[in-house]
Amino acid sequence: MSEKLDELINLVKEYSPNADFALIEKAYNYAKNAHYFQQRASGEPYIVHCYNTAKILTELKLDEATICAALLHDVLEDTLVAPEELKEEFGEEITTLVEGVTKINSYKFSDNITAQAENWRKMLLAVVKDTRVIIIKLADRLHNMRTIRYLSPDKQKEISLETLTLYTPFAHRLGIYKWKSELEDLIFEVLQPAKYKEIRSKWEARSESNLKNLELIQDQIKDTVEKMKVSYRILARPKNLYGIYKKMQRQEKPFSAIQDLFGMRIITDTQENCYAILSQIQTNFKILEGSFTDYIAVPKANMYQSLHITVVSDTGVIVEIQIRTEEMHRRAEYGIAAHWRYKAAFEKNAAANLKQTDINMEHHLEFIKHILESQKDVHDSNEFLTAIKTECNFDQIYVSTPKGDAIKLPDGATALDFAYAVHSDIGDKCMGVKVDGKLVPLDYKLKTGQKCEVLVRKNINPTENWLKIVITAQAKSRIRKYLREHNKKK
Ligand code: MN
């Protein structure tokens, strides 16, 4: 067995000891043979790319079908292998994933890429039913960006621009922030090499001058936590140069004025220990006034959880410290994708006939519910839960405006949801909706491919009843806003 294959299998074994390793081995060898006469621009055998794509996906602890599909992701496009053949060897699920990735590659947008980007992403979401396809494509792109220096300068620019407009938004939407910031830095280096170099050298200079102080604080923190006899590890915050650059532009500030370049993370096992560590830090360090935020009790909307507190060292260095559990850390780095559980764990379950996505979503929702139960307003919580369920549901429908603009809505969305998706003002004045030329009731459930046209009238206004008709969070909040303002005036 080759060294690389061995390494990959060990990575999968760590989170999924009962995976079908023979299948992974088969996929590896199959891809290796199919790409046998091909090389990467770096001169390496092509299989190195397939292997690295699969390896990146083990970070998300994805199931064996995804790992196999990652190994095989280029065989339909770049080799003589036919889909029927792949199906015979690896079955329906893996073949569908590989076909999905191949389908994405068939969309090429070289001209006016920025203008088309949003439509492209919408279409992709409608075409690709399985989110794993997009995640494989992201891992593929991440490895291509990591090895981009072997391509010609023109090609480097073209691929970087495409990655920035089309792919980083997906990483963001899926909450895979770790990949997103790495992609952004790689793109930044290609598209604005001078700026990149400048910020990088300033960052390094600043970090060097502060390094001693940071080390000092880190040692003090270690001493403090060590005494508590809890399990923990300390991480220095990874740099995202593009993020710093964007902040400089947004705030119109020079590099020297950007404050929060440095941070530390303390990762521990339980929520109780997060608070215990916090209280030790509060006792032993000088705290920047008003700097404490409890995102564990009150998570951010994207479900981010951590305790934030900023300490000031004896020498005046300011360091933000984030305290979180391992699970919170995974979620902060990998978002929704961090909650995908390995399939085998569920197969023993009585719920074996549930669709995989349903099961993932159940777990995801269970977690959200857990957060919400700790909050007071039950009515709002339930609504939030429904909203999250709707937003996270990857079964989307896809309808178009009379002009042919694509609009993506969650499955079950009504004609009134469409009106609000076009524009909130149009929603507020919606008298009726024509679907494929026929007038339908406002609670009509839309289907993919329908052409919808909103009829508006000035004297129409949202009513209480409309809240029962719409399912999207956007429409709900807009209607509620109108009702609130309107009731005030009375
Ligand atoms: Mn590839």
Side-chain angles (χ1 to χ4, degrees):
M1 204 190 277
S2 89
E3 205 179 294
K4 288 227 177 326
L5 174 60
D6 232 16
E7 223 181 297
L8 181 64
I9 285 182
N10 282 331
L11 284 169
V12 177
K13 213 173 256 175
E14 265 174 40
Y15 61 86
S16 171
N18 300 318
D20 188 347
F21 299 112
L23 189 68
I24 294 174
E25 183 174 352
K26 186 178 165 188
Y28 182 90
N29 289 323
Y30 192 91
K32 193 176 169 185
N33 287 332
H35 293 291
Y36 194 78
F37 294 106
Q38 288 173 309
Q39 280 184 344
R40 294 283 289 173
S42 62
E44 287 178 307
Y46 201 90
I47 185 71
V48 174
H49 168 63
C50 312
Y51 157 78
N52 275 297
T53 305
K55 190 180 168 188
I56 290 169
L57 289 164
T58 62
E59 287 174 29
L60 296 183
K61 306 190 179 184
L62 286 168
D63 56 75
E64 70 205 11
T66 312
I67 300 298
C68 289
L71 289 166
L72 298 162
H73 80 270
D74 276 328
V75 301
L76 291 182
E77 196 181 358
D78 295 339
T79 78
L80 295 173
V81 173
E84 299 73 44
E85 205 182 321
L86 206 59
K87 208 172 279 176
E88 216 163 90
E89 294 288 335
F90 295 99
E92 189 85 38
E93 187 183 7
I94 292 173
T95 307
T96 311
L97 291 173
V98 177
E99 281 179 317
V101 177
T102 312
K103 204 188 263 171
I104 295 181
N105 294 343
S106 69
Y107 294 104
K108 295 264 186 264
F109 290 86
S110 41
D111 300 326
N112 201 7
I113 195 171
T114 328
Q116 291 183 42
E118 187 51 34
N119 278 341
W120 188 89
R121 289 197 295 269
K122 280 173 183 165
M123 186 163 59
L124 208 62
L125 283 173
V127 169
V128 175
K129 287 271 176 274
D130 193 324
T131 315
R132 288 178 298 176
V133 169
I134 292 176
I135 297 180
I136 295 170
K137 188 64 207 169
L138 279 174
D140 169 51
R141 187 48 68 104
L142 182 56
H143 183 248
N144 283 339
M145 285 301 302
R146 280 179 186 171
T147 52
I148 201 162
R149 63 186 177 280
Y150 298 104
L151 303 180
S152 71
D154 279 355
K155 199 80 196 153
Q156 287 191 27
K157 272 182 206 140
E158 186 191 318
I159 292 178
S160 296
L161 190 62
E162 188 186 76
T163 308
L164 182 67
T165 42
L166 302 180
Y167 291 104
T168 52
F170 273 127
H172 180 79
R173 183 163 187 254
L174 290 166
I176 313 176
Y177 304 111
K178 194 170 177 247
W179 296 3
K180 187 193 168 212
S181 38
E182 189 183 341
L183 282 173
E184 282 178 343
D185 276 358
L186 290 163
I187 294 162
F188 187 33
E189 192 177 357
V190 172
L191 294 182
Q192 284 172 290
K195 268 272 165 257
Y196 175 85
K197 262 189 211 133
E198 184 197 324
I199 292 180
R200 193 190 164 135
S201 68
K202 280 181 181 164
W203 191 88
E204 278 166 358
R206 173 97 82 95
S207 97
E208 215 167 289
S209 71
N210 278 291
L211 214 58
K212 276 223 154 62
N213 291 316
L214 283 173
E215 266 171 20
L216 215 68
I217 296 183
Q218 189 160 333
D219 287 346
Q220 283 175 306
I221 289 176
K222 268 188 187 157
D223 286 347
T224 309
V225 182
E226 207 77 56
K227 284 178 205 141
M228 300 170 60
K229 306 252 181 298
V230 299
S231 87
Y232 78 101
R233 59 193 177 105
I234 294 179
L235 295 178
R237 185 188 293 174
K239 60 177 189 284
N240 174 222
L241 297 178
Y242 184 68
I244 295 171
Y245 174 63
K246 273 197 301 194
K247 195 171 209 168
M248 284 163 62
Q249 286 191 315
R250 204 169 47 234
Q251 305 184 350
E252 293 176 20
K253 277 180 183 168
F255 181 85
S256 56
I258 302 292
Q259 279 297 325
D260 49 352
L261 297 172
F262 304 103
M264 240 174 248
R265 289 178 180 141
I266 306 173
I267 300 165
T268 184
D269 50 359
T270 63
Q271 195 166 306
E272 289 70 39
N273 283 336
C274 289
Y275 287 105
I277 290 170
L278 172 77
S279 103
Q280 282 304 310
I281 285 175
Q282 284 170 327
T283 317
N284 292 290
F285 288 85
K286 193 177 158 199
I287 306 297
L288 191 73
E289 220 184 280
S291 71
F292 173 60
T293 317
D294 186 347
Y295 289 116
I296 290 182
V298 187
K300 287 191 192 177
N302 65 0
M303 293 173 296
Y304 172 87
Q305 285 186 294
S306 277
L307 302 174
H308 287 197
I309 192 151
T310 305
V311 302
V312 186
S313 81
D314 302 334
T315 49
V317 174
I318 294 171
V319 179
E320 188 190 63
I321 298 173
Q322 302 170 345
I323 309 165
R324 51 174 77 147
T325 65
E326 291 286 351
E327 203 194 341
M328 292 169 194
H329 181 58
R330 261 185 81 66
R331 197 161 52 245
E333 303 258 274
Y334 297 116
I336 298 174
H339 286 278
W340 290 27
R341 295 294 199 275
Y342 184 66
K343 203 175 175 178
F346 298 99
E347 276 169 355
K348 293 162 204 138
N349 231 302
N353 54 352
L354 268 175
K355 266 167 51 195
Q356 177 63 19
T357 44
D358 294 341
I359 298 169
N360 288 329
M361 208 42 78
E362 279 314 310
H363 256 251
H364 188 47
L365 292 173
E366 215 173 89
F367 161 75
I368 299 167
K369 216 169 121 191
H370 171 75
I371 291 180
L372 292 174
E373 274 166 1
S374 60
Q375 291 178 11
K376 290 168 208 154
D377 198 331
V378 180
H379 173 74
D380 275 1
S381 298
N382 282 335
E383 196 168 281
F384 178 61
L385 194 65
T386 318
I388 290 279
K389 198 169 183 173
T390 312
E391 303 299 327
C392 290
N393 186 354
F394 292 113
D395 289 324
Q396 309 277 7
I397 61 157
Y398 193 71
V399 293
S400 71
T401 66
K403 277 188 193 160
D405 288 335
I407 296 214
K408 177 173 61 69
L409 290 165
D411 197 16
T414 61
L416 190 56
D417 280 307
F418 172 80
Y420 274 100
V422 173
H423 196 282
S424 36
D425 291 340
I426 291 187
D428 281 350
K429 297 288 163 203
C430 176
M431 184 189 78
V433 177
K434 268 186 175 176
V435 172
D436 291 333
K438 267 191 211 148
L439 198 64
V440 298
L442 290 180
D443 64 355
Y444 176 87
K445 281 193 175 39
L446 297 168
K447 291 178 209 70
T448 289
Q450 289 178 326
K451 199 160 251 174
C452 310
E453 184 184 354
V454 182
L455 308 175
V456 291
R457 186 169 283 173
K458 260 191 187 157
N459 60 359
I460 297 273
N461 288 310
T463 66
E464 199 77 42
N465 193 42
W466 280 18
L467 285 171
K468 292 177 200 143
I469 294 176
V470 295
I471 69 159
T472 54
Q474 183 200 356
K476 274 212 170 96
S477 77
R478 176 71 191 201
I479 296 168
R480 198 166 287 124
K481 180 170 177 261
Y482 173 86
L483 294 174
R484 209 170 43 233
E485 282 167 7
H486 186 71
N487 289 342
K488 233 185 254 167
K489 275 181 212 154
K490 263 194 211 166

